[in-house]
Amino acid sequence: MTLTRPGRRMAALFGGLALAGATALIPTTAVAAPPTSDPTPAATASVLAGNRTQAAAGWLARQLVDGERFETTFDGVTYPDQGLTIDAVLAFAAAGVAEQNGAKATAWLARPEILSGYIGDGTTNAYAGATAKTLLAAEVRRVDPTTFGGVDLPARLRSLQQPSGRFTDTSPWGDYSNAFSQSLALLALDRTPAGAPTAAVDFLAGAHCADGGFPLDYGQPTCTSDADSTAMSVQALAATGRHQEAAAGLRWLVAHRLPDGGFGTPGATASNANSTGLAAQALLSGGRLIPGLTARHFLTERQVGCSADAGTRGAIAYDAGGYNPATATRATAQAVLGLAGTGFADLSNAGARQNAPTLHCPAPTN
């Protein structure tokens, strides 16, 4: 999702070809500290805090091309970015706003040429993570996933399950499936009448490292736990009733917070909003309130505040380096999940407001 991540991790976490139990919904007013870069008076801090999640989602909505999609440019050529668009759809549901944009984005995703360009044609190529992510988005949006863009998404996804229980890609370019693919598949299929396949749940539950965390890639010589993958796996396991393994993953997350309160990629000494957004979502929805709120505070400190240009207010910066248009869109999409604190298993657009809110800022005084 960011330019600092290796290419494979980019595909795994945030779209492209490979690629969210009881939930404690944390209100957006839980952390009141204003962004460290914003000189807003303390008296208005609580008002700003209550506005943060919706403002971040509102800023994200205003970045959509034609109000419906994201695009990416590579070597001077612009391509549709279905993965980031779905991230936005999920963020809108988490924040309960931008319903108009969510509907437009969903209709765009259901266009056959857009859909097949992401999940594959189902014959020569089919991508498990992309299919699962699209299925989850359709379910969150409460549209029929069995006819989405002319594709039966649950059936397509189930066809990609191997005897081991692992979901894999069918592609002449290789298999990019990983912990995100598996977790998204379980979260999405758990919402279907047939539920998530037991073998697939068992596969994910058995994929943990010795320390209780979960790796991004399976079958590696060394099992290296990863905050992003652990956050995803924990949510999928909790949703499918594997609470013991989910609890172990949550303990790993709690033990691997960085000094700034957030989370980063393996070996990192500083946190980023992408990893922290997923971890905060997993912790808060999993009932680990103190570490979850600490991670959420990291995100609020990355939010662009009232002292900035109106066009950037509400966005979430990727890291302590501040707002960067090259990374802010993806960072904000992930951060909204942590700010809202609602797990993937419970996301829904039900009751969402049509508008895309802006950050509440006090009127200037003379």
Side-chain angles (χ1 to χ4, degrees), residues 199-210 213-215 218 223 237 242 245:
V201 178
D202 289 342
F203 180 90
L204 181 59
H208 64 82
C209 299
F214 290 81
Y218 300 131
C223 189
L237 290 169
R242 299 301 289 266
E245 293 87 350

Side-chain angles (χ1 to χ4, degrees), residues 151-173:
V151 177
D152 186 335
L153 293 173
R156 172 79 64 85
L157 182 56
R158 290 179 189 277
S159 74
L160 298 176
Q161 182 184 332
Q162 305 305 307
S164 66
R166 178 177 176 176
F167 291 91
T168 61
D169 300 334
T170 298
S171 167
W173 298 284

Side-chain angles (χ1 to χ4, degrees), residues 4-364:
T4 60
R5 295 182 178 224
R8 185 116 192 268
R9 178 175 291 274
M10 285 276 291
L13 302 189
F14 307 113
L17 301 183
L19 71 114
T23 295
L25 177 58
I26 306 302
T28 55
T29 54
V31 177
T36 55
S37 60
D38 183 31
T40 303
T44 65
S46 61
V47 176
L48 285 171
N51 186 228
R52 291 183 189 279
T53 305
Q54 294 182 352
W59 178 87
L60 187 65
R62 289 186 289 278
Q63 311 316 303
L64 289 164
V65 178
D66 296 333
E68 67 177 9
R69 68 187 185 277
F70 282 110
E71 299 174 340
T72 187
T73 301
F74 182 75
D75 282 347
V77 180
T78 298
Y79 302 92
D81 194 334
Q82 297 94 326
L84 179 55
T85 302
I86 293 176
D87 289 337
V89 167
L90 299 178
F92 300 154
V97 298
E99 171 64 13
Q100 182 178 19
N101 297 101
K104 291 179 68 175
T106 304
W108 176 78
L109 289 163
R111 289 166 52 180
E113 71 277 15
I114 298 299
L115 183 62
S116 63
Y118 183 53
I119 70 172
D121 60 19
T123 303
T124 60
N125 49 56
Y127 303 104
T131 304
K133 193 172 180 181
T134 306
L135 171 57
L136 181 62
E139 293 166 334
V140 169
R141 292 286 313 160
R142 296 180 297 155
V143 301
D144 187 354
T146 65
T147 59
F148 192 86
V151 177
D152 186 335
L153 293 173
R156 172 79 64 85
L157 182 56
R158 290 179 189 277
S159 74
L160 298 176
Q161 182 184 332
Q162 305 305 307
S164 66
R166 178 177 176 176
F167 291 91
T168 61
D169 300 334
T170 298
S171 167
W173 298 284
D175 178 17
Y176 291 91
S177 64
N178 50 39
F180 269 65
S181 307
Q182 194 73 16
S183 299
L184 286 166
L186 296 188
L187 285 160
L189 290 175
D190 187 60
R191 292 181 179 229
T192 65
T198 300
V201 178
D202 289 342
F203 180 90
L204 181 59
H208 64 82
C209 299
D211 59 9
F214 290 81
L216 175 61
D217 294 311
Y218 300 131
Q220 301 302 301
T222 301
C223 189
T224 303
S225 295
D226 172 275
D228 301 77
S229 304
T230 300
M232 291 296 300
S233 299
V234 159
Q235 295 190 62
L237 290 169
T240 54
R242 299 301 289 266
H243 300 293
Q244 181 176 343
E245 293 87 350
L250 288 170
R251 288 193 294 271
W252 185 92
L253 285 173
V254 171
H256 287 80
R257 289 173 291 169
L258 293 175
D260 57 12
F263 295 81
T265 54
T269 58
S271 303
N272 66 73
N274 303 76
S275 299
T276 303
L278 284 177
Q281 179 191 31
L283 289 165
L284 291 172
S285 64
R288 272 54 172 186
L289 301 187
I290 299 303
L293 290 173
T294 301
R296 186 180 185 276
H297 179 63
F298 170 89
L299 297 172
T300 65
E301 290 193 320
R302 305 284 85 77
Q303 189 163 36
V304 178
C306 293
S307 62
D309 178 83
T312 63
R313 292 174 189 168
I316 308 294
Y318 173 71
D319 57 21
Y323 176 82
N324 181 342
T327 57
T329 304
R330 297 181 186 275
T332 302
Q334 291 297 132
V336 167
L337 301 175
L339 290 171
T342 307
F344 283 117
D346 294 315
L347 286 183
S348 171
N349 74 324
R353 293 161 49 188
Q354 292 289 325
N355 68 323
T358 58
L359 187 69
H360 175 82
C361 293

